[in-house]
Amino acid sequence: MILEPAVETRPWDEQLALDAAAFLPQLTYLLERSPFYRRKLADCDADLGLDRIYELPLTEKSELREATGPENPFGAHLCVAPAEVVRIYSTSGTTGTPSYIPLTAADLENWVTGSARSYAASGVAHGDRVLTTYDAGPFVAGAALDAFARIGVCHVPVGAGNSERLLVALEQLRPDAVVLTPSYAAHLTELRDLRGSSVRRVLVAGEPGGGEPAFRARLEEGWGAHVTEAMGIGDIGPSLWGECEVQDGMHLGARGFVHAELVDPETGGVRELSDGAEGELVLTHLRHRAAPLLRFRTRDHVRVHTKPCACGRTGPRVRCLGRTDDMLIVRGVNVWPAAVREVVASFGPEVGAHVVIRPAAPGVKQEPPLPVAVELAPGATASPGLADAIRQRIRDLLVVQAKVELVPSGSLGRSEYKSRLVER
Ligand SMILES: [Zn+2]
C-alpha cells in the first residue's frame, strides 16, 4: 500500500525541484539561527543551491559532540528557544556519553510522516495487527512507534527483553506482522518453530544485514513470512528508508524532509546516486527546525538501486552493507561483518545464524587470518570439512583469509535487540 501516492510516486526530478526550493530557506535558517553552522559555513556562498550542495562541508558526529557542553547539552547547532522543543531523544552513543536530539512539534510530525510511509511500504495496513519489540524509551526508534498509529494498524507493543512474553503474544494475539532487529528475528526461530505462526510479514530494522539474500532467505524460511527492512539514523530521523513488497531495497520514506547523497568514505568526495553505486550515505535536513543537520555523515555504507520499482514509488533505493564503524580492513581488503554472516548463512541447515568475528588486533586494520566463530545449528554436529568449506567460501567471495571455528549452538551471545557481530 502507498500511504501518500501523490508524494511517493512523484517523478524524482519534480521531487528534487521541490527539495531545492526547501533547501535555500533551510540554509538561510541555519546561518541565522545555528552558531555551529554560522561558524562552519563562514566562507561559503549563502545562496548556494541544492545542486551544488557538495561544495559545502560535511558534518561529522564528533563535531556535534564537541559543540556540546554543560551549558548546552544540545550543542551549538540548536536553533530554537527551549519552549519550542517538545521532545528530546538520546542516541545510544557507542562512544559512551549519549547525545540529545531535540525536536519541535513540526519536526516530530515530519518524523512520524516519513516513518509511516516507510513502514506502510512493507505492506502493513489498516486492519492488520502488528507486534513491535522496540522500547518507546529514550531512543529515536521510539518515535517510529507513532507511525503505526498513523498507518492505522492495531499496534501490539511488547517491548524488548522478554522472548517468552513475545512468543505467548504471537500465539494468543495472532499478529499479521512483527517488527524487530534481524538478529533477534533469527534468534526467535531457534526458540520456536514459527513457520506455522500467523505472521506473514517480518519487518526488520536497527542493524544492517536484513537485506542480504542468504540471511534473509533463512529468516523467511524460519518465519514462513516475507522479510522487508527499514533504516533510520538517530541524528536525522527514525525509519527514513523503508522497503516495499518488491524487496529490492529501501525507498526514501522521508522524501521531502531529507536529502540524500553518496560520498567516498575515504575522501568525502561526492559520488553519483547511480545504479549499483556504493558509498557512505550523507543526509541533509530540508525542513527541520530544532537542530537541523547539513551533509551529515551517517557512517552507513550503502548500495544504490535506481531501476524503476514495480510498486510505483520513485527515487533511488538503498541497501545497507554495514556501518563504517564496524568495517575491518584485512590486508587492504574491506570486510563487512554482515557480509561474513551472509556467507555463513548460505551453508544452510548445518550452521546456525549466529556469527561472531573476534579481531586479534585493536582498531580497523587486521592481519589474516581473521578469527570467525560460527555456531552450529541446534542439534547439529560438524561434518568433516565444514569449517574448511566455510573458510574457503569466505576466501572466494570476500577475498579474505579467515580462521573458522565451529562452536555449539547457543554458545555465542544472544541479544533481544541489536546483536554484536564483532567482539573484541
Ligand atoms: Zn518499491
Side-chain angles (χ1 to χ4, degrees), residues 45-392:
D45 176 2
D47 295 326
L48 189 136
L50 190 61
D51 56 337
R52 286 172 55 209
I53 190 172
Y54 57 85
E55 292 178 31
L56 297 173
L58 294 162
T59 301
E60 302 274 358
K61 178 79 180 169
S62 56
E63 293 176 87
L64 298 177
R65 207 176 291 117
E66 283 158 18
T68 64
E71 296 297 304
N72 186 359
F74 302 113
H77 56 302
L78 180 68
C79 294
V80 296
E84 290 180 72
V85 173
V86 301
R87 181 104 31 115
I88 300 166
Y89 284 108
S90 321
T91 59
S92 42
T94 44
T95 51
T97 45
S99 46
Y100 297 110
I101 316 287
L103 298 170
T104 68
D107 295 340
L108 188 58
E109 166 68 19
N110 292 345
W111 273 23
V112 174
T113 300
S115 202
R117 288 179 198 149
S118 293
Y119 278 116
S122 69
V124 296
H126 175 72
D128 284 343
R129 197 171 275 181
V130 180
L131 186 152
T132 68
T133 62
Y134 299 149
D135 280 326
F139 305 125
V140 164
L145 299 182
D146 293 340
F148 294 104
R150 182 72 60 89
I151 298 168
V153 302
C154 168
H155 181 197
V156 186
V158 297
N162 191 330
S163 298
E164 203 41 50
R165 184 168 58 198
L166 186 152
L167 290 168
V168 169
L170 273 184
E171 256 172 50
Q172 299 194 333
L173 299 178
R174 302 189 54 77
D176 303 285
V178 291
V179 182
L180 68 191
T181 64
S183 49
Y184 189 33
H187 174 46
L188 288 169
T189 63
E190 295 176 337
L191 299 180
R192 195 73 55 90
D193 183 352
L194 297 168
R195 287 172 295 182
S197 84
S198 58
V199 173
R200 290 291 156 264
R201 299 177 201 282
V202 175
L203 281 49
V204 298
E207 57 188 16
E212 301 283 353
F215 183 65
R216 169 170 287 190
R218 288 190 74 127
L219 291 182
E220 295 200 320
E221 154 75 19
W223 281 86
H226 278 287
V227 172
T228 51
E229 62 175 347
M231 176 173 79
I233 180 82
D235 300 82
I236 301 287
S239 24
L240 302 165
W241 304 83
E243 188 172 17
C244 71
E245 294 172 272
V246 178
Q247 297 180 297
D248 187 35
M250 294 178 272
H251 293 279
L252 182 58
R255 57 191 288 159
F257 306 127
V258 169
H259 176 71
E261 292 175 84
L262 199 63
V263 302
D264 180 326
E266 308 280 327
T267 65
V270 73
R271 286 180 179 169
E272 203 188 331
L273 282 171
S274 55
D275 200 52
E278 289 182 14
E280 183 181 338
L281 200 55
V282 164
L283 299 173
T284 296
H285 281 127
L286 292 170
R287 302 167 191 278
H288 217 57
R289 285 294 168 261
L293 297 178
L294 175 79
R295 303 200 77 213
F296 180 71
R297 294 191 71 151
T298 64
R299 304 275 160 195
D300 283 317
H301 196 95
V302 301
R303 186 187 305 125
V304 177
H305 300 217
T306 62
K307 294 198 178 77
C309 188
C311 75
R313 289 175 183 81
T314 52
R317 308 187 289 292
V318 298
R319 183 70 83 203
C320 185
L321 306 176
R323 300 266 309 153
T324 311
D325 310 344
D326 292 337
M327 193 188 74
L328 297 167
I329 301 175
V330 184
R331 205 167 274 171
V333 175
N334 295 359
V335 181
W336 299 101
V340 174
R341 178 174 64 183
E342 170 69 4
V343 172
V344 172
S346 68
F347 276 83
E350 270 184 298
V351 296
H354 291 271
V355 172
V356 166
I357 298 167
R358 298 191 169 116
V364 174
K365 292 193 174 155
Q366 302 293 321
E367 282 301 309
L370 187 68
V372 178
V374 175
E375 265 192 17
L376 290 162
T381 47
S383 61
L386 177 60
D388 205 45
I390 295 173
R391 184 189 61 75
Q392 189 62 45

